[in-house]
Amino acid sequence: MIWTYKGKPVHDVKSMPKDTVGFIYKVINLKTGKFYIGKKSVAHKRKTRISKREKTKTGTRKTFKIVIKESDWKSYTGSCKELNEDIKKQGEKAFVKFIVEYCFSKKYLNFAELSYQIKEDVLKVESYNGNILGKFYRKDMELKTKKNK
């Protein structure tokens, strides 16, 4: 399965807009129509200790450095167990994954994911999303709607 954006394949970070922090994506099961909306960071920043050898080689007095490493975004499908199990059972050809929007800050990435999940009403329709923000769960929505009937 390859990522696409507006119908065009996305193979590497160079094919994304400059300064992209992450993206909002949608994975759709072509057989059932069930979908998943999520976010994925393109790279991770980590603080690591500088070794004595590196200190003497570079002449720095710092003890830590920031290391940026590309994430596993190319092969990523989502954090949902049910979705990943269905991909294993039905095969990658039964699914399509595409980038909905590129994001240029972590805060906006979080906001955009929430926004798309609410717009698509993921807790009330047939989707793989079982919760939003780890606070709002499908089972809570089902109880609320049953009480109102």
Side-chain angles (χ1 to χ4, degrees), residues 70-128:
E70 190 174 329
S71 71
D72 64 341
W73 68 271
K74 291 177 187 175
S75 60
Y76 192 74
T77 53
S79 60
C80 176
K81 282 183 183 179
E82 183 186 356
L83 169 66
N84 290 320
E85 286 171 4
D86 281 358
I87 291 172
K88 280 183 183 176
K89 287 178 192 172
Q90 299 174 23
E92 289 185 355
K93 291 189 178 187
F95 292 83
V96 64
K97 63 181 186 177
F98 59 92
I99 296 170
V100 177
E101 181 181 352
Y102 288 110
C103 301
F104 304 99
S105 74
K106 279 188 174 184
K107 274 191 178 181
Y108 184 73
L109 183 64
N110 291 328
F111 170 78
E113 180 192 28
L114 172 65
S115 177
Y116 280 103
Q117 288 174 338
I118 289 172
K119 282 179 195 172
E120 296 275 344
D121 216 2
V122 296
L123 297 181
K124 291 185 180 177
V125 298
E126 193 65 26
S127 78
Y128 288 105

Side-chain angles (χ1 to χ4, degrees), residues 30-85:
L30 297 172
K31 292 179 180 176
T32 64
K34 208 170 177 182
F35 64 91
Y36 182 79
I37 294 176
K39 66 179 177 184
K40 185 63 183 165
S41 294
V42 176
H44 301 287
K45 289 182 181 178
R46 244 184 17 177
K47 194 176 183 181
T48 58
R49 189 172 292 279
I50 300 173
S51 67
K52 288 181 182 179
R53 179 179 284 166
E54 191 177 349
K55 278 186 181 184
T56 55
K57 191 176 181 181
T58 59
T60 186
R61 292 174 49 192
K62 295 180 181 180
T63 53
F64 292 98
K65 66 180 177 179
I66 303 293
V67 177
I68 299 171
K69 183 182 174 190
E70 190 174 329
S71 71
D72 64 341
W73 68 271
K74 291 177 187 175
S75 60
Y76 192 74
T77 53
S79 60
C80 176
K81 282 183 183 179
E82 183 186 356
L83 169 66
N84 290 320
E85 286 171 4

